Amino acid sequence: DGMSHSDPEKRMAAIQTGCPYPLELMAKIKCTSDRHAYSVEKAVHDVMAKYRKQGEWFRASDKVIVDIWNIRSIADQFVN
């Protein structure tokens, strides 16, 4: 899944070995609880579904970047 209880940069480095293209961390959201994290991840998957290539991999585009920043800006609404 896209959630990590550890350092996101370390997680990205670990999955980079399975990808022939350079990965770039687009955003990270610090969550206040597991419940908050699951809510944010669901919102991310809902918004990003239209860009999905396969599994956790998505097409890159300027629109993706805008949507990611919009998700970051609304993540606080999920805090419980």
Side-chain angles (χ1 to χ4, degrees):
D1 65 42
M3 291 185 349
S4 177
H5 287 30
S6 63
D7 181 10
E9 285 81 2
K10 287 181 183 175
R11 165 103 165 103
M12 190 174 73
I15 62 175
Q16 177 65 70
T17 60
C19 181
Y21 306 105
L23 298 178
E24 181 179 349
L25 182 62
M26 302 295 293
K28 55 185 173 180
I29 300 169
K30 184 167 180 72
C31 295
T32 58
S33 66
D34 283 348
R35 184 175 177 175
H36 180 213
Y38 286 112
S39 297
V40 170
E41 185 174 23
K42 180 174 181 345
V44 169
H45 278 270
D46 291 348
V47 169
M48 297 296 291
K50 60 189 168 213
Y51 306 113
R52 183 177 313 283
K53 288 190 71 116
Q54 181 177 348
E56 294 283 331
W57 302 101
F58 301 90
R59 280 188 321 269
S61 73
D62 291 341
K63 181 67 175 131
V64 170
I65 294 168
V66 170
D67 282 348
I68 288 170
W69 284 101
N70 287 337
I71 292 165
R72 287 189 70 214
S73 70
I74 63 169
D76 287 342
Q77 75 177 324
F78 299 109
V79 176
N80 290 318

Coordinates of all heavy atoms in Angstrom, one line a residue:
D1 N 0.8 -1.2 0.0 CA 0.0 0.0 0.0 C 0.9 1.2 0.0 O 2.1 1.2 0.1 CB -1.0 0.0 1.2 CG -0.3 0.0 2.5 OD1 0.6 0.8 2.7 OD2 -0.8 -0.7 3.4
G2 N 0.3 2.4 -0.1 CA 1.0 3.7 -0.2 C 1.4 4.3 1.1 O 2.0 5.3 1.2
M3 N 0.9 3.6 2.2 CA 1.2 4.2 3.5 C 2.5 3.5 4.1 O 2.8 2.4 3.8 CB 0.1 3.8 4.5 CG -1.2 4.6 4.2 SD -2.5 4.3 5.4 CE -2.0 3.0 6.4
S4 N 3.2 4.3 4.8 CA 4.5 3.9 5.4 C 4.6 4.4 6.8 O 4.3 5.6 7.1 CB 5.6 4.3 4.6 OG 6.8 3.9 5.2
H5 N 4.9 3.5 7.7 CA 5.1 3.9 9.1 C 6.6 4.4 9.3 O 7.0 4.7 10.4 CB 4.7 2.8 10.1 CG 3.3 2.6 10.2 ND1 2.4 2.8 9.2 CD2 2.5 2.2 11.3 CE1 1.2 2.6 9.6 NE2 1.2 2.2 10.9
S6 N 7.3 4.3 8.3 CA 8.7 4.7 8.4 C 9.0 5.9 7.4 O 8.1 6.4 6.9 CB 9.6 3.5 8.0 OG 9.4 3.1 6.7
D7 N 10.2 6.2 7.3 CA 10.7 7.3 6.4 C 10.2 7.1 5.0 O 10.6 6.1 4.3 CB 12.2 7.4 6.5 CG 12.8 8.5 5.7 OD1 12.1 9.3 5.2 OD2 14.0 8.5 5.6
P8 N 9.4 8.0 4.4 CA 9.0 7.8 3.0 C 10.1 7.7 2.0 O 10.0 7.0 1.0 CB 8.1 9.1 2.7 CG 7.7 9.6 4.1 CD 8.9 9.2 5.0
E9 N 11.2 8.4 2.2 CA 12.3 8.3 1.3 C 13.0 6.9 1.3 O 13.4 6.4 0.3 CB 13.4 9.4 1.7 CG 13.0 10.8 1.3 CD 12.1 11.5 2.3 OE1 11.7 10.9 3.3 OE2 11.7 12.6 2.0
K10 N 13.0 6.3 2.5 CA 13.5 4.9 2.6 C 12.6 4.0 1.8 O 13.0 3.0 1.2 CB 13.7 4.5 4.0 CG 14.9 5.1 4.7 CD 15.0 4.6 6.1 CE 16.2 5.4 6.8 NZ 16.3 5.0 8.2
R11 N 11.3 4.1 2.0 CA 10.3 3.3 1.3 C 10.4 3.5 -0.2 O 10.4 2.5 -0.9 CB 8.9 3.7 1.7 CG 7.8 3.2 0.9 CD 7.1 2.0 1.5 NE 5.8 1.7 0.8 CZ 5.6 0.7 -0.1 NH1 6.6 -0.1 -0.3 NH2 4.5 0.6 -0.6
M12 N 10.6 4.7 -0.7 CA 10.8 4.9 -2.1 C 12.0 4.3 -2.6 O 12.1 3.7 -3.7 CB 10.8 6.4 -2.4 CG 10.7 6.7 -3.9 SD 10.5 8.5 -4.2 CE 12.1 9.0 -3.9
A13 N 13.1 4.4 -1.9 CA 14.4 3.8 -2.3 C 14.2 2.2 -2.4 O 14.8 1.6 -3.3 CB 15.5 4.1 -1.3
A14 N 13.4 1.7 -1.5 CA 13.2 0.2 -1.5 C 12.4 -0.2 -2.8 O 12.7 -1.2 -3.4 CB 12.5 -0.2 -0.3
I15 N 11.4 0.6 -3.2 CA 10.6 0.2 -4.3 C 11.3 0.6 -5.6 O 10.9 0.1 -6.7 CB 9.2 0.7 -4.2 CG1 9.1 2.2 -4.2 CG2 8.5 0.0 -3.1 CD1 7.7 2.7 -4.2
Q16 N 12.3 1.5 -5.6 CA 13.0 2.0 -6.8 C 13.6 0.8 -7.5 O 13.7 0.7 -8.7 CB 14.0 3.0 -6.4 CG 14.8 3.5 -7.6 CD 14.0 4.2 -8.7 OE1 13.6 5.3 -8.5 NE2 13.9 3.6 -9.8
T17 N 14.1 -0.2 -6.7 CA 14.8 -1.3 -7.3 C 13.9 -2.1 -8.3 O 14.4 -2.8 -9.2 CB 15.3 -2.3 -6.2 OG1 14.2 -2.8 -5.4 CG2 16.3 -1.6 -5.3
G18 N 12.6 -2.0 -8.1 CA 11.7 -2.7 -9.0 C 11.2 -1.9 -10.1 O 10.3 -2.3 -10.9
C19 N 11.7 -0.7 -10.3 CA 11.2 0.2 -11.3 C 12.4 0.7 -12.2 O 13.3 1.2 -11.7 CB 10.5 1.4 -10.7 SG 9.8 2.6 -11.9
P20 N 12.2 0.6 -13.5 CA 13.3 1.0 -14.4 C 13.4 2.5 -14.6 O 14.4 3.0 -15.1 CB 13.0 0.3 -15.7 CG 11.5 0.2 -15.7 CD 11.2 0.0 -14.3
Y21 N 12.5 3.3 -14.1 CA 12.5 4.7 -14.2 C 12.7 5.4 -12.9 O 12.3 4.9 -11.8 CB 11.1 5.2 -14.7 CG 10.7 4.5 -16.0 CD1 9.7 3.5 -16.0 CD2 11.3 4.8 -17.2 CE1 9.3 2.8 -17.1 CE2 10.9 4.2 -18.4 CZ 9.9 3.2 -18.3 OH 9.6 2.5 -19.5
P22 N 13.4 6.5 -12.9 CA 13.7 7.2 -11.6 C 12.3 7.6 -10.9 O 11.5 8.2 -11.6 CB 14.5 8.4 -12.0 CG 14.9 8.2 -13.4 CD 14.0 7.2 -14.0
L23 N 12.2 7.3 -9.7 CA 11.0 7.7 -8.9 C 11.2 9.0 -8.3 O 12.4 9.4 -7.9 CB 10.7 6.6 -7.8 CG 10.4 5.2 -8.3 CD1 10.2 4.3 -7.1 CD2 9.2 5.2 -9.3
E24 N 10.1 9.8 -8.1 CA 10.2 11.1 -7.4 C 9.1 11.1 -6.4 O 7.9 10.8 -6.7 CB 10.0 12.2 -8.5 CG 10.1 13.6 -7.9 CD 9.9 14.6 -9.0 OE1 9.9 14.3 -10.2 OE2 9.7 15.8 -8.6
L25 N 9.4 11.5 -5.2 CA 8.4 11.7 -4.2 C 7.7 13.0 -4.4 O 8.3 14.0 -4.4 CB 9.1 11.7 -2.8 CG 8.2 11.8 -1.6 CD1 7.2 10.6 -1.5 CD2 9.0 11.9 -0.3
M26 N 6.4 12.9 -4.7 CA 5.6 14.1 -5.1 C 5.1 14.8 -3.8 O 4.9 16.0 -3.9 CB 4.5 13.7 -6.0 CG 4.9 13.0 -7.3 SD 5.9 14.1 -8.3 CE 4.7 15.3 -8.8
A27 N 4.8 14.1 -2.8 CA 4.2 14.7 -1.6 C 4.3 13.7 -0.5 O 4.3 12.5 -0.7 CB 2.8 15.1 -1.8
K28 N 4.2 14.2 0.7 CA 4.0 13.3 1.9 C 3.1 14.1 2.8 O 3.2 15.3 2.9 CB 5.4 12.9 2.5 CG 6.3 14.0 2.9 CD 7.6 13.4 3.4 CE 8.6 14.4 3.7 NZ 9.9 13.9 4.2
I29 N 2.3 13.3 3.5 CA 1.3 13.9 4.4 C 1.5 13.2 5.8 O 1.4 12.0 5.9 CB -0.1 13.6 3.9 CG1 -0.3 14.3 2.5 CG2 -1.2 14.2 4.9 CD1 -1.6 13.9 1.8
K30 N 1.8 14.0 6.8 CA 2.0 13.5 8.1 C 0.6 13.3 8.7 O -0.2 14.3 8.8 CB 2.8 14.4 9.0 CG 3.1 13.9 10.4 CD 4.1 14.7 11.1 CE 4.4 14.1 12.4 NZ 5.1 12.9 12.4
C31 N 0.2 12.1 9.1 CA -1.1 11.8 9.6 C -1.0 11.7 11.2 O 0.0 11.3 11.7 CB -1.6 10.5 9.0 SG -1.9 10.7 7.2
T32 N -2.1 12.0 11.8 CA -2.1 12.0 13.2 C -2.5 10.7 13.9 O -2.3 10.5 15.1 CB -3.1 13.1 13.7 OG1 -4.4 12.8 13.2 CG2 -2.7 14.5 13.3
S33 N -3.0 9.8 13.1 CA -3.4 8.4 13.6 C -3.6 7.5 12.4 O -3.6 7.9 11.2 CB -4.8 8.5 14.3 OG -5.8 8.9 13.4
D34 N -3.7 6.2 12.7 CA -3.9 5.2 11.6 C -5.2 5.5 10.9 O -5.3 5.4 9.7 CB -3.9 3.8 12.2 CG -2.5 3.3 12.5 OD1 -1.5 3.9 12.0 OD2 -2.4 2.2 13.1
R35 N -6.2 5.9 11.7 CA -7.5 6.2 11.1 C -7.4 7.4 10.1 O -8.0 7.4 9.0 CB -8.6 6.5 12.2 CG -9.9 6.8 11.6 CD -10.9 7.0 12.8 NE -12.2 7.3 12.2 CZ -13.3 7.4 12.9 NH1 -13.2 7.3 14.3 NH2 -14.4 7.7 12.4
H36 N -6.7 8.4 10.5 CA -6.4 9.6 9.6 C -5.7 9.1 8.4 O -6.1 9.5 7.3 CB -5.7 10.6 10.4 CG -5.3 11.9 9.6 ND1 -4.2 12.6 9.8 CD2 -6.0 12.5 8.6 CE1 -4.1 13.6 9.0 NE2 -5.2 13.6 8.3
A37 N -4.7 8.3 8.5 CA -3.9 7.8 7.4 C -4.7 7.0 6.4 O -4.6 7.2 5.2 CB -2.7 6.9 7.9
Y38 N -5.6 6.1 6.9 CA -6.5 5.3 6.0 C -7.4 6.2 5.3 O -7.7 6.0 4.1 CB -7.2 4.2 6.8 CG -6.3 3.1 7.2 CD1 -6.0 2.8 8.5 CD2 -5.7 2.3 6.2 CE1 -5.1 1.8 8.9 CE2 -4.9 1.2 6.5 CZ -4.6 1.0 7.9 OH -3.7 0.0 8.2
S39 N -8.0 7.2 5.9 CA -8.9 8.2 5.3 C -8.2 9.0 4.2 O -8.8 9.1 3.1 CB -9.5 9.1 6.3 OG -10.3 8.5 7.3
V40 N -7.0 9.4 4.5 CA -6.3 10.2 3.5 C -5.9 9.3 2.3 O -6.0 9.7 1.2 CB -5.0 10.9 4.1 CG1 -4.1 11.4 3.0 CG2 -5.4 11.9 5.1
E41 N -5.4 8.1 2.6 CA -5.1 7.2 1.5 C -6.2 6.9 0.6 O -6.1 6.8 -0.6 CB -4.4 5.9 2.0 CG -3.9 5.0 0.9 CD -3.2 3.8 1.3 OE1 -3.3 3.3 2.4 OE2 -2.4 3.3 0.4
K42 N -7.4 6.7 1.2 CA -8.6 6.4 0.4 C -8.9 7.6 -0.5 O -9.2 7.4 -1.7 CB -9.8 6.1 1.3 CG -11.0 5.8 0.4 CD -12.2 5.4 1.1 CE -13.4 5.1 0.3 NZ -13.5 5.5 -1.1
A43 N -8.8 8.8 0.0 CA -9.0 10.0 -0.8 C -8.0 10.1 -1.9 O -8.4 10.4 -3.1 CB -9.0 11.3 0.1
V44 N -6.8 9.8 -1.6 CA -5.7 9.8 -2.7 C -6.1 8.8 -3.8 O -6.0 9.1 -4.9 CB -4.3 9.5 -2.0 CG1 -3.3 9.2 -3.1 CG2 -3.9 10.6 -1.2
H45 N -6.4 7.6 -3.4 CA -6.8 6.5 -4.4 C -8.0 7.0 -5.2 O -8.0 6.7 -6.4 CB -7.0 5.2 -3.7 CG -5.7 4.5 -3.4 ND1 -5.2 3.6 -4.3 CD2 -4.9 4.5 -2.3 CE1 -4.0 3.1 -3.8 NE2 -3.9 3.7 -2.6
D46 N -9.0 7.6 -4.6 CA -10.2 8.0 -5.3 C -9.8 9.1 -6.4 O -10.2 9.0 -7.5 CB -11.2 8.6 -4.4 CG -11.9 7.5 -3.5 OD1 -11.7 6.3 -3.8 OD2 -12.6 7.9 -2.5
V47 N -9.0 10.1 -6.0 CA -8.6 11.1 -6.9 C -7.6 10.6 -7.9 O -7.7 11.0 -9.1 CB -7.9 12.3 -6.1 CG1 -7.3 13.3 -7.0 CG2 -9.0 13.0 -5.2
M48 N -6.7 9.8 -7.6 CA -5.7 9.3 -8.5 C -6.2 8.2 -9.4 O -5.4 7.8 -10.4 CB -4.5 8.9 -7.7 CG -3.8 10.0 -6.9 SD -3.2 11.3 -8.0 CE -1.8 10.4 -8.7
A49 N -7.3 7.6 -9.2 CA -7.8 6.5 -10.0 C -7.7 6.7 -11.5 O -7.4 5.8 -12.3 CB -9.2 6.1 -9.6
K50 N -8.0 7.9 -11.9 CA -8.0 8.2 -13.3 C -6.6 8.2 -13.9 O -6.5 8.2 -15.2 CB -8.7 9.6 -13.6 CG -8.1 10.7 -12.9 CD -9.0 12.0 -13.0 CE -8.4 13.0 -12.1 NZ -9.5 13.9 -11.5
Y51 N -5.6 8.3 -13.1 CA -4.2 8.2 -13.6 C -3.5 6.9 -13.4 O -2.4 6.7 -13.8 CB -3.4 9.3 -12.8 CG -3.9 10.7 -12.9 CD1 -4.4 11.3 -11.7 CD2 -4.0 11.4 -14.0 CE1 -4.9 12.5 -11.7 CE2 -4.5 12.7 -14.0 CZ -5.0 13.2 -12.9 OH -5.5 14.5 -12.9
R52 N -4.2 5.9 -12.9 CA -3.6 4.6 -12.5 C -3.2 3.9 -13.8 O -3.9 3.8 -14.7 CB -4.6 3.8 -11.8 CG -4.0 2.4 -11.3 CD -5.0 1.6 -10.5 NE -5.7 2.4 -9.5 CZ -5.1 2.7 -8.3 NH1 -3.9 2.3 -8.0 NH2 -5.8 3.4 -7.4
K53 N -2.0 3.4 -13.7 CA -1.5 2.5 -14.8 C -1.6 1.1 -14.4 O -2.2 0.3 -15.1 CB 0.0 2.8 -15.1 CG 0.2 4.2 -15.8 CD 1.6 4.4 -16.3 CE 1.9 3.5 -17.5 NZ 2.1 4.0 -18.7
Q54 N -1.1 0.8 -13.2 CA -1.3 -0.6 -12.6 C -0.9 -0.5 -11.2 O 0.1 0.1 -10.8 CB -0.4 -1.5 -13.4 CG -0.5 -3.0 -12.9 CD 0.4 -3.9 -13.7 OE1 0.9 -3.6 -14.7 NE2 0.5 -5.1 -13.1
G55 N -1.7 -1.1 -10.3 CA -1.4 -1.2 -8.9 C -1.2 0.2 -8.3 O -2.0 1.1 -8.4
E56 N 0.0 0.4 -7.7 CA 0.3 1.7 -7.1 C 1.1 2.7 -8.1 O 1.6 3.7 -7.7 CB 1.2 1.5 -5.9 CG 0.5 0.8 -4.7 CD -0.4 1.7 -4.0 OE1 -0.2 2.9 -3.9 OE2 -1.4 1.2 -3.4
W57 N 1.1 2.3 -9.4 CA 1.8 3.2 -10.3 C 0.8 4.0 -11.1 O -0.2 3.6 -11.5 CB 2.6 2.3 -11.3 CG 3.6 1.4 -10.5 CD1 3.4 0.1 -10.2 CD2 4.8 1.8 -10.0 NE1 4.5 -0.4 -9.5 CE2 5.4 0.7 -9.4 CE3 5.5 3.0 -10.0 CZ2 6.6 0.7 -8.7 CZ3 6.8 3.1 -9.4 CH2 7.3 1.9 -8.7
F58 N 1.2 5.3 -11.3 CA 0.3 6.3 -11.9 C 1.1 7.0 -13.1 O 2.3 7.2 -13.0 CB -0.2 7.3 -10.9 CG -0.9 6.7 -9.8 CD1 -0.2 6.2 -8.6 CD2 -2.2 6.4 -9.9 CE1 -0.9 5.6 -7.6 CE2 -2.9 5.8 -8.8 CZ -2.3 5.4 -7.7
R59 N 0.3 7.5 -14.1 CA 0.9 8.3 -15.1 C 1.3 9.7 -14.5 O 0.6 10.2 -13.7 CB -0.2 8.6 -16.2 CG -0.4 7.5 -17.2 CD -1.3 8.0 -18.3 NE -2.4 8.9 -17.9 CZ -3.6 8.5 -17.5 NH1 -3.9 7.2 -17.6 NH2 -4.5 9.3 -17.1
A60 N 2.3 10.2 -15.0 CA 2.8 11.5 -14.6 C 2.3 12.6 -15.5 O 2.3 12.4 -16.7 CB 4.3 11.6 -14.5
S61 N 1.8 13.7 -15.0 CA 1.4 14.8 -15.8 C 1.2 16.1 -14.9 O 1.2 15.9 -13.7 CB 0.0 14.5 -16.5 OG -1.0 14.6 -15.6
D62 N 1.1 17.2 -15.5 CA 0.9 18.4 -14.7 C -0.4 18.3 -13.9 O -0.5 18.8 -12.8 CB 0.8 19.6 -15.7 CG 2.2 20.0 -16.3 OD1 3.2 19.5 -15.7 OD2 2.2 20.7 -17.3
K63 N -1.4 17.7 -14.5 CA -2.7 17.6 -13.8 C -2.5 16.7 -12.5 O -3.1 17.0 -11.5 CB -3.7 17.0 -14.7 CG -5.1 16.8 -14.1 CD -5.8 18.1 -13.8 CE -7.2 17.9 -13.3 NZ -7.5 18.6 -12.1
V64 N -1.7 15.7 -12.6 CA -1.4 14.8 -11.4 C -0.8 15.7 -10.3 O -1.3 15.6 -9.1 CB -0.5 13.7 -11.8 CG1 0.0 12.9 -10.5 CG2 -1.1 12.7 -12.7
I65 N 0.1 16.5 -10.6 CA 0.8 17.4 -9.6 C -0.3 18.3 -9.0 O -0.3 18.4 -7.8 CB 1.9 18.2 -10.3 CG1 3.0 17.2 -10.7 CG2 2.4 19.2 -9.3 CD1 4.0 17.8 -11.6
V66 N -1.2 18.9 -9.8 CA -2.2 19.8 -9.2 C -3.1 19.0 -8.3 O -3.4 19.4 -7.1 CB -3.0 20.4 -10.3 CG1 -4.3 21.1 -9.8 CG2 -2.2 21.4 -11.1
D67 N -3.5 17.8 -8.7 CA -4.4 17.0 -7.8 C -3.7 16.5 -6.5 O -4.3 16.5 -5.5 CB -4.9 15.7 -8.6 CG -6.0 16.1 -9.5 OD1 -6.6 17.2 -9.5 OD2 -6.4 15.2 -10.4
I68 N -2.4 16.2 -6.6 CA -1.7 15.9 -5.4 C -1.6 17.0 -4.4 O -1.8 16.9 -3.2 CB -0.2 15.4 -5.8 CG1 -0.3 14.0 -6.4 CG2 0.7 15.3 -4.5 CD1 1.0 13.6 -7.1
W69 N -1.3 18.2 -4.9 CA -1.3 19.4 -4.0 C -2.7 19.7 -3.5 O -2.8 20.1 -2.3 CB -0.7 20.6 -4.8 CG 0.8 20.5 -4.8 CD1 1.5 20.1 -5.9 CD2 1.7 20.6 -3.8 NE1 2.8 20.0 -5.6 CE2 3.0 20.3 -4.3 CE3 1.6 21.0 -2.4 CZ2 4.1 20.4 -3.5 CZ3 2.7 21.1 -1.7 CH2 4.0 20.8 -2.2
N70 N -3.7 19.5 -4.2 CA -5.1 19.6 -3.7 C -5.4 18.6 -2.6 O -6.0 19.0 -1.6 CB -6.1 19.5 -4.8 CG -6.1 20.7 -5.8 OD1 -5.7 21.8 -5.4 ND2 -6.6 20.5 -7.0
I71 N -4.9 17.4 -2.8 CA -5.1 16.4 -1.7 C -4.4 16.8 -0.4 O -5.0 16.7 0.6 CB -4.6 15.0 -2.2 CG1 -5.5 14.5 -3.3 CG2 -4.6 14.0 -1.0 CD1 -4.9 13.3 -4.1
R72 N -3.2 17.3 -0.6 CA -2.4 17.7 0.6 C -3.2 18.8 1.3 O -3.2 18.9 2.5 CB -1.0 18.2 0.2 CG -0.1 17.1 -0.2 CD 1.3 17.6 -0.4 NE 1.8 17.9 0.9 CZ 2.7 18.9 1.1 NH1 3.1 19.6 0.2 NH2 3.2 19.1 2.3
S73 N -3.8 19.7 0.5 CA -4.4 20.9 1.2 C -5.7 20.5 1.9 O -6.2 21.2 2.8 CB -4.7 22.0 0.1 OG -5.7 21.6 -0.8
I74 N -6.3 19.4 1.5 CA -7.6 19.0 2.2 C -7.4 17.9 3.2 O -8.4 17.5 3.8 CB -8.7 18.6 1.2 CG1 -8.3 17.4 0.4 CG2 -9.0 19.8 0.3 CD1 -9.4 16.8 -0.5
A75 N -6.2 17.4 3.3 CA -6.0 16.2 4.2 C -6.4 16.5 5.7 O -6.8 15.6 6.4 CB -4.5 15.8 4.2
D76 N -6.3 17.7 6.1 CA -6.6 18.1 7.4 C -8.1 17.8 7.8 O -8.5 17.6 8.9 CB -6.3 19.6 7.7 CG -4.8 19.8 7.9 OD1 -4.1 18.8 8.0 OD2 -4.4 21.0 7.7
Q77 N -9.0 17.8 6.8 CA -10.4 17.5 7.1 C -10.6 16.1 7.6 O -11.7 15.9 8.2 CB -11.2 17.8 5.8 CG -11.2 16.7 4.8 CD -12.1 16.9 3.6 OE1 -13.2 17.5 3.7 NE2 -11.6 16.6 2.4
F78 N -9.7 15.2 7.4 CA -9.9 13.9 7.9 C -9.4 13.6 9.3 O -9.5 12.5 9.8 CB -9.1 12.9 6.9 CG -9.7 12.9 5.5 CD1 -8.9 13.5 4.5 CD2 -10.9 12.4 5.2 CE1 -9.4 13.5 3.2 CE2 -11.4 12.5 3.9 CZ -10.6 13.0 2.9
V79 N -8.8 14.6 9.9 CA -8.3 14.5 11.3 C -9.4 14.2 12.2 O -10.4 14.8 12.2 CB -7.5 15.7 11.7 CG1 -7.1 15.6 13.2 CG2 -6.3 16.0 10.8
N80 N -9.2 13.1 13.0 CA -10.3 12.7 14.0 C -9.7 12.8 15.4 O -8.6 12.4 15.7 CB -10.8 11.3 13.8 CG -11.6 11.3 12.5 OD1 -12.4 12.2 12.2 ND2 -11.4 10.2 11.7

